[in-house]
Amino acid sequence: MTMYLRIIIIFLMLVFSSYLKGENEILKVKIDVKLNKSNVINTKSVGEDEILSGAFYGQTESIEDKNFANANLECDFIGRSYQGRGFSCGFAVIEDLKGFCYIKNNNDEDILIVEWNCNTTAGINGDAYCAGKLNIIQGFGVFAGVNGFGEINMPIAKTINSNISNPLNINLNIKYPMSLNK
């Protein structure tokens, strides 16, 4: 192969690589969710514990990824609430929750499904919230073929309807499949 042909091939590779999303490019996306007031939280007493189930809804906001700007969020969950030794003030109510969230854009075609779990923890100000992990399960439309993982922080489930001012936050590490940038 001649020197000029090598230079042309290297040049073309560099030009096209700037137009392709890399297969290993993981995007860090912060998603803030403003929760709706129409959340469904069910409790069932079992001995001294409570079984929690229900759904909560919201609108997403994201600066890093336009696919998460003004999308609808719906999360179904189930979990357990119990007395535990949680914080320095002594015993506290602990929630262990798990569920699925569906992030759907307004076109009803771009949908991302994630599974998550969280446990009660205390913030810097001593306020309790549910902190946990999430994994991407499947995507459709612009989310087809994506994979990733992240963290979820949300108000305690039993206080969601009275705690609307505290948003749900998702920090997502997402990898889109290789495709041409638009």
Side-chain angles (χ1 to χ4, degrees), residues 29-32 60-62 65-71 103 105 112 143 172 174 176:
V29 179
K30 184 176 190 296
I31 303 168
D32 293 320
T60 65
E61 298 174 4
S62 177
D65 190 333
K66 66 180 168 82
N67 294 321
F68 296 103
N70 200 30
I103 300 173
N105 284 332
L112 185 68
F143 298 118
L172 191 61
I174 187 170
Y176 287 90

Side-chain angles (χ1 to χ4, degrees), residues 11-22 25 177-182:
F11 174 76
L12 289 174
M13 288 172 52
L14 290 173
V15 168
F16 284 116
S17 69
S18 67
Y19 288 105
L20 295 174
K21 286 186 179 179
E25 183 181 353
M178 185 176 240
S179 63
L180 291 175
N181 283 337
K182 295 182 181 179

Side-chain angles (χ1 to χ4, degrees), residues 69-140:
N70 200 30
N72 295 310
L73 175 101
E74 178 181 338
C75 296
D76 297 312
F77 73 93
I78 190 164
R80 176 177 167 241
S81 176
Y82 57 94
Q83 288 291 325
R85 185 174 291 187
F87 310 112
S88 61
C89 59
F91 291 92
V93 175
I94 306 294
E95 289 184 356
D96 293 329
L97 305 175
K98 60 176 69 175
F100 290 93
C101 287
Y102 318 95
I103 300 173
K104 183 169 62 169
N105 284 332
N106 294 324
N107 64 9
D108 289 337
E109 295 175 8
D110 303 329
I111 302 168
L112 185 68
I113 303 171
V114 300
E115 69 174 341
W116 57 272
N117 61 48
C118 70
N119 306 94
T120 302
T121 190
I124 294 172
N125 299 330
D127 52 339
Y129 65 97
C130 206
K133 305 282 184 193
L134 64 83
N135 289 305
I136 293 176
I137 300 297
Q138 187 168 5
F140 303 93

